[in-house]
Amino acid sequence: MQNGGSGTDNEGLLEKFKNLDFMKMDRRTFIKAVGALGASLFLQTYKSDIAKALQLSETKVVWFHGVMDSGCTISMLDGGSPDIVEFLQVYNLKLLYHEVLMMQQGIFVDGKPANTNDLNSEILLDEILEKEKGYVLVSEGAVANGPQGSGKYLMLGGRPYKEIYAKAAKNALAIVAIGNCATNSGVNAAKSDIVELMDPRGIAFTMEDSSKGILDLLGVEKPVINLTGCPTHPDWVFLTIGAVVLGKIKVPDDLPYVLDHWKRPKVFFPPDHVIHDNCSRRGYYDRGEFELTVGGPKCLWKLGCKGPYTHADCATRHWNGHLNYCPQAGSPCIGCVQSGFPDSTRPFFVEIEKTGIVGTNINTIAGVAIGGALLAAGAHAVRRTVMKRPEDEGEVAEETTSEETGGEK
Amino acid sequence: MVQVTVDPLTRIEGHYRVNTEVNGEGVITDAQSNGLQLRGFERLLQHQDPRDAALLAQRICGVCPICHSISAANALDQLFGVAGQVPKNALVMRNIEQGLNYIASHAAHIYVLWGPDLANPAYRDILAKYGDVGNAVWKELSGRFAPLIYQLNGTSYPAGSSYVGAIAEFRRLHEAIALIAGKMPHQVLQHVGGVVYSPTVADIGQIVGYVSKTMEFVEAFTLGVSPDTWVANTYKASSPQKAANFVLNHLKELLNKSLTSKDFSHSAGWGDVPLFAAFGSELIGEKLLGLPISMKMDLAGAYKDPNKIGFLSYGVFFKPEKGDGYDPTSPADSRVIPSGYMNGNFKLEKFDYKKISESTHHAFYIDNVEDRPPWNGITVPEEDPGKIDYTKGSASRYSWSKAPNYNGIPCEVGPLARMIIMGEPLVTGLVKTFQDNGYYPVNNYTRMVARMQEILVLYSELMKWLTQDLEAGGKVAVHTELSMAKSSAGMGLWEAPRGALGHWIATGPDSMVTLYQAVVPSTWNLAPRNSQDIPSPVEQALIGTKISAAGNALGVDYSNPLGILHTARSYDPCLACAVHTIDKTGKHPDYTIKIL
C-alpha cells in the first residue's frame, strides 16, 4: 500500500531511484537514498524527471500570505537545489501572485482600483479570483477568523483575507499549505488568554483539531497537502509541488497513500522515523552521555530535545544548503514540524516525560520513559527499544499508535 | 483633493496600508499608516517557561528572527541574573550571527523588496527624455532590478541580474548562519546565559569564506570597487567631508567615461550603489555632477518640522574589548554601534530607556491611559468588527500598531538613525552636504544610502570579530537553572536591521512568565499618530512628498504613486513585528516590570 519502492539494497541504487516514484517511497528506501547518495545528489537523481516537466504545459501557481511572519517565503529563498528561480523554470510554473516577489501593489484612487494589472495587485487578484481555475494554491500563514467570525483581524485591499481565501480556494486544483501557520495555525493558535478571540485557523487543521480548519468553516472541499515546519524546508515544498506537476502524485487519487494522518508526505515526515534515529549525537545517547548545560557535544535529551518524538528527515536532509540541523548545532530539537507545535512540544528545555504536556499521547510518554529507564541497563537494551519500528519488525510497535505518529489507521 | 491609497503595500514583511490625501499639484497633504493584521504574539509566551522565549520570540519575524532571539536572550540574561557573566565568546557569537543577518536582511530589502521600484515604467519614460544616456540607464535599472513577477503590456521582464544575484548571496549568508546556528530562518543559537554552540576553527574559516564570497558580489554588483577600498575611504575616512568627497569624485570619474561611451553596465564600473547615488538624487546628480535628469529621491520622504521628529538607537553589537558580561541598560560606550537619541536638529543626547512610552490613542485598542511605558502595558483590542475601519481619517483609530515615543517625540529608527548617531563618516558627510545645500538632510535617498553603507560597516566589523575576537572552542554559556528566574524581570535592548528593538519580560514566584512585551522598529517608524496627534515618522515623511515619480517630473499621475511606494518602503516595513500584544481579559492591568 504505502510502499511504492522496493526494499533491496545493493547495486544500481542510483538507476533504481531514477525510476522510483519518490513520493511513494517507503521510509527505509528513502533514508537509504539520502544516506547512500547524499542529499543534494539525491535531488539530482530526479533531474531526468524534472527535464520531462519542460514538455509539460504550464502550471499556474497562486501564492498567498495570511497571518505569518514570512519565514517560509524566506526559507524558499534559501532553497538551493533547485533555487526558487530554477524551481519555477524547471517545472514550468507560472507564479501569478506572490506579495513578496511581485512588482504590483494595491493602488486605489478615490477608493477605486487604478492603473492596470501590470502595477496594481488588486486588479490582478480580482482577475485571478474571477477567471483562473486549476492552479496550485500555495498557502503560507493562517487565516484570521476573529473577531466574531468577521476575519477582520487581517484585511487586505479593504476586505477580510478570509473572503479572498475562500474565493481562491474554490477554484484551486489543490492546496499546498506550507509551514505550521498554514498547516495548523502554528504559533498563532498557541495557548494564550486571547487565542479564542483571535481565532486564527490553519487550512485543514487548527493545531491538532481537524474539525477547525478554515476550509471546513468555509464549506470548501479541496485536496490539501501539508508541509509543516517553522519554517518548512524548501526541498519539501519544491519537491512536493514538482511531484504534483510531474504527475508523480496524482491529486487526489494518490493522496491517501502518500500522505500521513496530518496530510503530510510520508517521504519527508516518515510516520515510523524520528529525527533521533539519525541524529549526529546518537552515539552519546547510546552510551548514556548527556549534556546538562548547553554548549557541549553530547546528547541533548536531558535538555529537553524533542528529536525522539519528531517525525521529519532533518537529520538526514539538513537545512540551508544541506549543512546543519538544530541538535547538531547544539540545540534541543523543539519539534517545530509537529502538528501541535508549539504547545505539544513546550517547554522546550524540559524532558518531555516531565512536562505533562497537554495533547501528548500518554502511550508515547510511557514508551519514552521506558527508554529512559533502560538507559541504566546499557545501550543494547535501549537500542532494542528505541529502534523497534514497524518496518523493522514487520509489526506495529505497541508503544506507538497511528494517532501520534501520523501513520495510517 | 484626491485620495490615493496603497493597500496592500506589497514587497514588505506583513500586511500594510497607506492612505493619503493629495492636492491638485500632486503633493501629499495628509497620510495615515495602517497596520492591517493583529497577531498578539507576546501573549503566547505568558504563563510559560521563560527560557522558551529565546527560540519562540524570533517567530515574530522570519526576515530578522535573530534580533528578536538576541533581544529575548538579553532580557533572559538579566531575568536570570547572569548578564554580568555571559562569556565574551558568547557575546562575539551574538555579534557574528547578528552581523551576518544584518547584511542578508539589508540585501533582501535593497534588492528584493525596495529595488524593483527602480524598474517602474515611470523611470523609463523620464529617462527617455535624456536620449541615449537615459535609455542606457533605464536598460540597467530594468535589467538589474526587475522582480520575479513583472510584466508590462503583456511582455514579461526577466528577473534582474542584481535581484537574482542578491538572492544567491542572501542564501549564502543564511548558510553561514546555519553553520553555527542550526538553520535559518528560526535559528537555535541563542540561549539564556550565552549561546548553545562553541565554534570550531573550521567553522570560523568557513564563515570567513562565505563572507569573502559575498563580498565578491558586493564588489562586482553592488559597489563596482573593492569593499576594502570603499571601507578605507568611507567608514574609515578621517572626516565626513573626505568620505563624501570620495564618493563624489568616484562618480565624477565614472561619468566622465560613460557619458561618451554610454556604457553604464556593471563591467564599466557602475555598481548598483554608484548608479543609484548618481541618478537617484537631484542634489548629487543634477546640481553637483551636472546631469540633466535624476530620480529625485532626495525630494521625497523628508521631515519638515525638526521639532516633531527624533532619531533613536538602543545600541547594538557588544564591544569585545569589554570582556565577559555586559550592562543591559546599553550605555553608548559599550556597543559598537552606540545607543543615543538625536533630535530633529541633529543634537545628540544620551539614551535613557525610561523615556520610552507607547500611545494607543489612534490604534484599535481600548485604554484610558494615553501613554504607558512598554513594561507597564495593558492593551485591550477592539472586538467589535464594525469598529475595525481603516477609512475614517487621521482623527480616528486606524491601525493595529501602537505609537511609541521618546520623551513624547516620534522617532525614526534603523540604519540612518544608527549611522548618524554613530557619526559614520559617509552618511554624516552626505547628511551635511544636503543640509549645506538647502535640502532636507533625511530623505528617501539618504535613508537608502545609509542602509547600503551599513552593509560595509558590518563587513568591516564582522571580519574583526571572526578573525581577532572569536576563540574556537571557547566557553559560550554560563549554567542556569529555571529557579534563578523566580519573581524577576529583564530588559533586552538591541537593534534589529530595521531599528530599535526592546523585549521586556517579568516572571512570578513559580518562575513562569507573567508579562512579555516587545517594542519593535516598525512600530516606531510606521505607527499611527500619537496621543498628541503628532504624525508618525512615515506619515511626516509622506506629507509634503510629491505623489508621482521624480517630483512629478512627468506631471501628476495618481495611479502610479511612486512617492508613496518609495517613501513607505524606504523604512523596510516589517508589519508582523509591529502588530502588538493584547490583553483581552484585563487580568493583568497593572503589571509593572521593575527594571534594575
Side-chain angles (χ1 to χ4, degrees), chain A residues 70 78 104-105 110 118 293, chain B residues 3 10 13 153 174 479 569:
Chain A
S70 305
D78 284 339
Q104 298 90 334
Q105 48 274 308
D110 284 333
D118 285 352
T293 297
Chain B
Q3 188 183 53
T10 53
E13 197 297 310
N153 308 319
H174 279 191
H479 181 76
R569 287 192 179 115

Side-chain angles (χ1 to χ4, degrees), chain B residues 162-173:
Chain B
S162 297
Y163 177 98
V164 171
I167 290 176
E169 297 312 316
F170 181 79
R171 179 165 66 241
R172 191 191 314 282
L173 292 165

